[in-house]
Amino acid sequence: MRCPQTVLLLLGTLSCWHPSSAQGEKYPTATDIRWSSINLKTILDWSPKPTNYTYTVLIRGKYFKDWKKKCIFTTDTTCDVSDLMKDPKDTYDVRIVSEIRSPDGIEESPYAEGPSFTPYEETIIGKPVIRNFTLNKELNTLTVLIRDTPTPYRFSNNTPKTVRDFFPNDFTYTLFYRKASSTGKKQQSSDTNEIVIKTDKGEDYCFYVQASVPSRKVNRMSQNSDELCTSSDAGGRCLLK
């Protein structure tokens, strides 16, 4: 039997009320459903904190039509759904169901629908990390190696997939650098995680890195990495593990 529905607009979220099976009670639906995603690690947050009921998160992509459950019967208002979103180019829908545990099961429960989310277009590229740099005084070069940031996903051999693996032809690192004695800044970009620049003899340099996805219209640039400086006294080399 089709149940009556009342469509409520709550903070930009489409919420659908259905009578619950527990003595005809109605449980509040989730509101203010928000996606947050950094380096493809994707979290859902919502309100309010439940009292005499629980939540279950449902995720559905356009490439798999069935709803998949996550954070079943949770009393939290946050849920990591990264493992249900392994194809970042897919667009995902979300429902958050309000329900109670029942030995007879729940036939109908109220739920709220949140906004759709496409990780490939919307995940934020996190702050890059400079792994290694070498100032070569004989060749007058500065070589900077950037660590490719891991994601929650892995290859079949169990090695981590990096952010750059998901953007193989659409990912760039840019090195911003200056002489330590100057404020004048230059830049050089690379499609790899190694950048080499020419240096002036006897000069130390300060620099930082920014990652970008050039094809994007929004969220194209990452935050800046920490700025590092070469030091003639330290031999011009740094290694971060």
Side-chain angles (χ1 to χ4, degrees), residues 48-65:
K49 188 75 175 176
T51 51
N52 59 338
Y53 62 98
T54 62
Y55 292 114
T56 293
V57 174
L58 303 179
I59 297 291
R60 180 177 66 183
K62 295 190 182 303
Y63 299 145
F64 61 88
K65 297 300 183 181

Side-chain angles (χ1 to χ4, degrees), residues 34-87:
R34 307 175 304 281
W35 297 92
S36 59
S37 181
I38 300 178
N39 296 328
L40 297 172
K41 181 178 177 64
T42 304
I43 309 293
L44 275 168
D45 293 285
W46 64 90
S47 301
K49 188 75 175 176
T51 51
N52 59 338
Y53 62 98
T54 62
Y55 292 114
T56 293
V57 174
L58 303 179
I59 297 291
R60 180 177 66 183
K62 295 190 182 303
Y63 299 145
F64 61 88
K65 297 300 183 181
D66 296 331
W67 291 98
K68 295 185 177 181
K69 292 185 177 182
K70 188 71 176 178
C71 301
I72 301 170
F73 292 129
T74 183
T75 56
D76 293 329
T77 55
T78 186
C79 182
D80 185 341
V81 294
S82 304
D83 63 336
L84 299 183
M85 309 177 76
K86 294 181 180 179
D87 184 348

Side-chain angles (χ1 to χ4, degrees), residues 114-167:
S116 299
F117 187 79
T118 306
Y120 191 88
E121 298 175 357
E122 300 180 71
T123 194
I124 292 173
I125 306 302
K127 179 178 176 180
V129 174
I130 296 172
R131 180 177 181 182
N132 175 288
F133 69 81
T134 303
L135 180 64
N136 190 312
K137 298 178 182 179
E138 294 181 358
L139 298 178
N140 291 328
T141 59
L142 172 64
T143 302
V144 178
L145 184 67
I146 303 113
R147 186 187 73 182
D148 284 328
T149 306
T151 70
Y153 309 112
R154 292 182 175 271
F155 289 104
S156 57
N157 63 0
N158 207 36
T159 58
K161 290 185 177 181
T162 68
V163 174
R164 196 152 62 95
D165 290 325
F166 284 95
F167 299 89

Side-chain angles (χ1 to χ4, degrees), residues 92-232:
Y92 297 89
D93 298 323
V94 58
R95 285 180 178 176
I96 299 178
V97 181
S98 302
E99 56 191 1
I100 61 170
R101 292 178 181 268
S102 170
D104 299 326
I106 300 176
E107 295 181 3
E108 296 172 295
S109 301
Y111 63 82
E113 293 183 343
S116 299
F117 187 79
T118 306
Y120 191 88
E121 298 175 357
E122 300 180 71
T123 194
I124 292 173
I125 306 302
K127 179 178 176 180
V129 174
I130 296 172
R131 180 177 181 182
N132 175 288
F133 69 81
T134 303
L135 180 64
N136 190 312
K137 298 178 182 179
E138 294 181 358
L139 298 178
N140 291 328
T141 59
L142 172 64
T143 302
V144 178
L145 184 67
I146 303 113
R147 186 187 73 182
D148 284 328
T149 306
T151 70
Y153 309 112
R154 292 182 175 271
F155 289 104
S156 57
N157 63 0
N158 207 36
T159 58
K161 290 185 177 181
T162 68
V163 174
R164 196 152 62 95
D165 290 325
F166 284 95
F167 299 89
N169 302 309
D170 192 22
F171 195 84
T172 300
Y173 289 115
T174 300
L175 178 73
F176 297 87
Y177 63 97
R178 61 179 175 83
K179 293 179 182 179
S181 59
S182 171
T183 58
K185 186 170 57 177
K186 297 181 179 180
Q187 67 186 68
Q188 184 167 317
S189 298
S190 174
D191 294 334
T192 73
N193 65 336
E194 182 179 88
I195 301 177
V196 182
I197 62 169
K198 297 295 291 184
T199 59
D200 292 340
K201 188 174 181 179
E203 292 284 353
D204 281 317
Y205 286 79
C206 294
F207 50 91
Y208 61 88
V209 172
Q210 191 177 58
S212 65
V213 181
S215 69
R216 283 183 169 184
K217 295 181 180 179
V218 295
N219 295 329
R220 292 181 67 244
M221 313 296 290
S222 73
Q223 292 180 311
N224 298 337
S225 73
D226 293 335
E227 184 178 68
L228 300 178
C229 295
T230 65
S231 170
S232 299

